[in-house]
């Protein structure tokens, strides 16, 4: 057999998204791989291909359609997909991931075109290793996995949650350069309690209610063991699990394998980054802040814990630091006398009488910042924001619930009701706001400032563990990328257009931390930045 025959030829090349260059194949490549006649004769550059796709997407007026065009492109020509997305991250990130991905997950079965990633159903218990071996790549270094129970603020979307690991991994690559061939999106399908999905003839997941308890955990254990056996250097990132599983899973594995939960730790990192930047505006120390969270789930307790640890690193006793982070949930202020508290909420319980409305809690606790992670829109009312503005010269107002429709308030409301004094950041993006001739640019406390950089640092250093200290380091590194000009316009996160540059700097700081903490599995190089840059993916066509 000749060498040319061993190599894929013709449509095998054009239909392989890793090999396909579409019209950018040179004449020589077209001859060599027997593509002549299979492509229109004009050879185009990748720049021209990017321009063509960008024009096509710009002409569509519906974000879900844009998502689908990008998703089809990813299945056809991976390099071109990343070249398009990375050509303008501020424009394409909201299409590939939040907020558009929320709608894509809701309609997942209805817009389904082609499978991507691995679906591991609980009906295959005992055979997960076998299913994982069906994945064509031999080396997997990064898995994002969900069980679909709490997708963004949208609830249980069953196997439709697959849109999240797919979108998220695309950002690991686009925003920090984790090479896509090492990334694997996974859904653990343990059923769904969403009746509308169970009744939908197009639903693609297991048609059963969710498995709970020991049977669920044994399934997760089997998954972790199989991953460890097949891919010992693989990091597992847990995504959009309901709190009742998210915390026990993280606790179970965080000291045993390289793992993190982005809803808990990534969110915490990005919120802390926003706080560090906000404190540059108020010139106050972290240890004097008091935060009140609307919501007491994964995001709230994750952020509260990381802020507490960051406060403790600056000298506060950890218990006293936790008391500075109060939670308020569907049943009111989290106080010690409540009998409905989960273990992960108890450290933040206040020694106070119960308070049943959020505005009363604001008046009683006098927080310097409020952080909304309740999944319920509009709860930062005019009364709440006015109360915050009465207590603080520069109140910190972070409505973080996603997607936009769930945000606790809009940017305009926060600025207007605080007479333009709010330090604002939200979970989903809001356009700039003009009030009394002043222009405010709202920041988006998007986890994307943290998780791709964490992923890239872990990938490049082959880290054994991911500790909270690394998230504190990452938060400080993100805040350091905010310029004084950004702060002057109200922006407390680096502009998303600069995300790749920001991420590579943050990656370098995290990677340095990994080396210093002795967690790396590769030798420390003289120049950590050079190591990161040499390992980072670039969307360029290669010789095939
Ligand atoms: P969760 O389900 O674990 O927690 C939700 C919490 O809100 C619960 O404690 C619940 O009691 C409370 N709640 C519900 N209704 C309430 C009400 N009417 N009043 C007061 N509290 C109420 O969810 P989670 O994982 O913590 O996520 C919460 C939200 O945060 C989601 O919308 C998610 O998209 C968002 N989030 C944003 C970011 C980000 O922007 N960086 C990151 C992670 C999560």
């Amino acid at each position: 057999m000749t060498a040319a025959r061993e190599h894929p030829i013709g449509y095998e090349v054009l239909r392989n998204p890793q090999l396909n260059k579409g019209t950018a194949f040179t004449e020589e490549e077209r001859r060599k791989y027997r593509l002549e006649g299979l492509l229109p004769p004009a050879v185009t550059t990748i720049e021209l291909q990017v321009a063509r796709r960008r024009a096509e997407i710009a002409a569509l007026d519906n974000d879900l359609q844009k998502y689908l065009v990008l998703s089809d492109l990813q299945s056809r020509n991976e390099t071109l997909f990343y070249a398009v997305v990375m050509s303008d991250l501020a424009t394409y990130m909201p299409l590939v991931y939040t907020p558009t991905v929320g709608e894509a997950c809701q309609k997942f079965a209805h817009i389904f075109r082609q499978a991507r990633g691995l679906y591991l159903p609980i009906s295959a218990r005992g055979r997960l290793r076998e299913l994982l071996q069906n994945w064509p790549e031999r080396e997997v270094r990064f898995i994002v996995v969900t069980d679909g129970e709490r997708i963004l603020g949208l609830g249980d979307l069953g196997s439709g949650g697959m849109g999240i690991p797919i979108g998220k991994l695309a950002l690991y690559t686009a925003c920090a350069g984790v090479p896509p061939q090492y990334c694997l999106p996974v859904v653990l399908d343990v059923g769904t309690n969403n009746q509308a999905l169970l009744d939908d003839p197009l639903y693609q997941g297991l048609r059963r209610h969710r498995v709970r308890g020991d049977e669920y955990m044994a399934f997760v254990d089997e998954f972790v063991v199989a991953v460890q056996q097949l891919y010992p250097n693989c990091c597992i990132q847990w995504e959009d699990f309901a709190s009742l599983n998210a915390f026990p899973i993280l606790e179970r594995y965080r000291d045993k394998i390289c793992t993190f939960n982005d809803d808990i730790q990534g969110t915490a990192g990005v919120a802390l980054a926003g706080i560090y930047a906000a404190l540059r505006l108020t010139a106050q120390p972290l240890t004097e802040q008091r935060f009140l969270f609307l919501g007491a789930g994964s995001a709230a307790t994750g952020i509260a814990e990381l802020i507490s640890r960051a406060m403790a690193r600056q000298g506060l006793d950890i218990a006293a630091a936790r008391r500075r982070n109060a939670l308020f949930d569907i049943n009111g202020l989290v106080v010690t006398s409540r009998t409905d508290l989960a273990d992960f909420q108890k450290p933040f319980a206040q020694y106070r009488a119960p308070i049943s409305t959020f505005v009363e809690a604001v008046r009683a606790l006098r927080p310097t910042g409020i952080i909304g992670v309740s999944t319920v829109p509009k709860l930062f009312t005019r009364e709440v924001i006015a109360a915050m503005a009465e207590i603080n010269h520069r109140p910190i107002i972070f409505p973080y619930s996603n997607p936009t429709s769930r945000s606790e308030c809009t940017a305009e409301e926060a600025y207007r009701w605080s007479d333009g004094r709010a330090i604002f950041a939200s979970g989903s993006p809001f356009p700039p706001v003009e009030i009394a001739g002043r222009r405010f640019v709202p920041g988006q406390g998007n986890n994307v400032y943290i998780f791709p950089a964490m992923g890239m640092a872990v990938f490049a250093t082959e880290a054994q563990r991911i500790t909270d200290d690394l998230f504190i380091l990452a938060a400080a590194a993100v805040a350091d990328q905010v310029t004084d000009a950004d702060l002057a316009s109200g922006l407390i996160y680096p502009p998303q257009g600069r995300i790749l540059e920001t991420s590579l700097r943050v990656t370098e700081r995290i990677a340095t931390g990994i080396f210093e903490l002795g967690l790396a599995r590769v030798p420390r190089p003289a120049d950590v930045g050079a190591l990161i840059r040499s390992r980072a993916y670039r969307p360029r066509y290669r010789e095939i």
Side-chain angles (χ1 to χ4, degrees):
M1 202 185 270
T2 67
R5 289 273 174 210
E6 279 165 12
H7 196 284
I9 54 163
Y11 278 124
E12 291 162 7
V13 174
L14 297 181
R15 294 193 175 144
N16 179 326
Q18 277 83 41
L19 301 180
N20 189 18
K21 306 181 190 179
T23 54
F25 278 113
T26 61
E27 283 175 7
E28 191 195 333
E29 286 170 326
R30 291 173 188 220
R31 272 193 300 279
K32 189 166 167 195
Y33 300 116
R34 303 192 28 195
L35 304 173
E36 287 172 299
L38 302 183
L39 290 165
V43 173
T44 47
T45 60
I46 192 166
E47 289 76 16
L48 212 54
Q49 289 180 305
V50 168
R52 172 164 45 213
R53 292 281 80 93
R54 286 175 56 127
E56 180 196 6
I57 293 165
L60 297 169
D61 52 15
N62 171 310
D63 283 352
L64 191 61
Q65 292 295 331
K66 296 182 185 195
Y67 171 92
L68 289 172
V69 166
L70 283 163
S71 167
D72 286 344
L73 179 58
Q74 190 177 14
S75 304
R76 220 171 43 238
N77 181 338
E78 189 175 82
T79 310
L80 185 54
F81 166 77
Y82 283 109
V84 170
V85 172
M86 292 168 81
S87 72
D88 180 1
L89 281 162
T91 297
Y92 294 107
M93 245 175 9
L95 296 173
V96 171
Y97 200 56
T98 56
T100 312
V101 73
E103 190 184 353
C105 288
Q106 286 175 309
K107 299 180 176 161
F108 202 74
H110 291 252
I111 58 174
F112 184 82
R113 285 157 156 72
Q114 198 179 8
R116 171 175 288 277
L118 266 185
Y119 293 84
L120 302 178
I122 197 155
S123 52
R125 207 174 30 208
R127 297 197 300 122
L128 291 192
R129 188 184 156 125
E130 191 185 322
L131 268 64
L132 275 161
Q133 277 173 316
N134 289 342
W135 184 248
E137 299 292 340
R138 291 284 57 98
E139 197 182 350
V140 174
R141 296 284 306 282
F142 222 91
I143 286 177
V144 175
V145 57
T146 186
D147 72 354
E149 185 162 9
R150 205 242 56 214
I151 296 300
L152 309 174
L154 302 169
D156 183 348
L157 298 183
S159 72
M162 178 55 112
I164 295 291
I166 291 173
K168 198 137 197 170
L169 282 168
L171 299 194
Y172 275 100
T173 301
C175 300
V178 181
Q181 70 267 30
Y182 298 114
C183 298
L184 170 59
V186 174
V187 158
L188 296 178
D189 187 344
V190 297
T192 176
N193 293 347
N194 182 335
Q195 198 56 44
L197 292 180
L198 291 172
D199 293 341
D200 180 352
L202 282 181
Y203 181 60
Q204 296 162 310
L206 291 182
R207 245 167 244 278
R208 54 162 302 161
H209 283 121
R210 284 186 176 273
V211 171
R212 300 274 187 219
D214 292 347
E215 200 184 340
Y216 174 91
M217 210 42 105
F219 182 59
V220 175
D221 280 342
E222 184 188 336
F223 166 68
V224 172
V225 169
V227 169
Q228 288 283 293
Q229 286 171 348
L230 292 170
Y231 316 116
N233 276 348
C234 183
C235 173
I236 301 178
Q237 193 237 282
W238 311 94
E239 183 72 22
D240 284 1
F241 287 71
S243 297
L244 89 157
N245 289 319
F247 283 96
I249 290 174
L250 182 61
E251 283 316 308
R252 202 172 175 90
Y253 302 115
R254 66 189 300 164
D255 298 327
K256 297 199 182 87
I257 63 170
C258 179
T259 193
F260 73 102
N261 178 310
D262 189 56
D263 306 303
I264 301 173
Q265 296 162 289
T267 301
V270 83
L272 183 61
I275 290 164
Y276 281 142
L279 296 182
R280 281 173 56 192
L281 281 168
T282 63
Q284 289 172 358
L286 179 66
T287 46
E288 282 175 21
Q289 305 306 301
R290 283 180 311 280
F291 296 101
L292 176 61
F293 292 79
L294 183 71
S298 323
T301 51
I303 301 170
E305 181 62 16
L306 197 70
I307 295 175
S308 304
R309 291 192 186 201
M311 286 174 162
R313 279 168 62 113
Q314 293 183 21
L316 272 192
D317 167 66
I318 187 76
R322 287 183 182 129
R323 278 197 297 280
R324 288 183 164 270
N325 288 278
L327 313 177
F328 186 103
D329 73 359
I330 186 111
N331 296 317
L333 187 66
V334 170
V335 291
T336 47
S337 58
R338 271 177 57 172
T339 53
D340 62 334
L341 300 182
D343 285 347
F344 61 84
Q345 296 166 323
K346 286 179 184 160
F348 307 100
Q350 305 285 310
Y351 290 89
R352 281 180 171 272
I355 298 180
S356 59
T357 71
F358 191 64
V359 71
E360 270 179 70
V362 167
R363 292 201 179 108
L365 276 81
R366 301 180 64 78
T368 48
I370 51 174
I371 300 176
V373 270
S374 64
T375 74
V376 185
K378 299 284 160 211
L379 294 180
F380 287 175
T381 59
R382 182 180 205 132
E383 222 189 337
V384 165
I385 288 171
M388 283 297 292
E390 218 177 283
I391 298 163
N392 301 285
H393 175 56
R394 301 292 315 261
I396 296 174
I397 312 278
F398 289 176
Y400 272 173
S401 284
N402 290 318
T404 317
S405 61
R406 306 290 166 111
S407 189
E408 283 82 2
C409 67
T410 65
E412 168 139 25
E413 287 165 345
Y415 289 124
R416 200 171 288 288
W417 295 338
S418 66
D419 303 321
R421 287 185 282 124
I423 301 177
F424 177 91
S426 51
S428 296
F430 281 105
V433 177
E434 195 89 34
I435 294 173
R438 274 185 72 194
R439 188 167 190 267
F440 299 92
V441 183
Q444 189 193 358
N446 193 323
N447 293 26
V448 80
Y449 289 111
I450 301 279
F451 70 78
M454 186 62 71
M456 186 61 200
V458 164
F459 170 74
T461 60
E462 302 189 15
Q464 300 168 38
R465 298 283 179 274
I466 302 178
T467 62
D468 278 340
D469 277 348
L470 295 179
F471 284 96
I472 295 176
L473 245 167
V478 172
D480 287 350
Q481 305 296 309
V482 181
T483 64
D484 289 340
D486 295 333
L487 284 178
S489 67
L491 192 57
I492 57 165
Y493 289 102
Q496 290 195 0
R498 293 204 316 248
I499 189 82
L500 185 58
E501 222 181 296
T502 303
S503 289
L504 290 175
R505 294 216 177 97
V506 176
T507 301
E508 188 176 335
R509 294 262 293 265
I510 303 172
T512 305
I514 292 172
F515 284 116
E516 278 167 9
L517 292 165
L519 296 171
R521 280 182 278 203
V522 299
R524 182 176 183 152
D527 183 345
V528 177
L531 168 75
I532 303 301
R533 285 189 298 277
S534 73
R535 305 301 312 271
Y537 171 82
R538 291 276 178 272
R540 296 278 168 265
Y541 289 131
R542 285 165 195 82
E543 285 286 310
I544 61 169

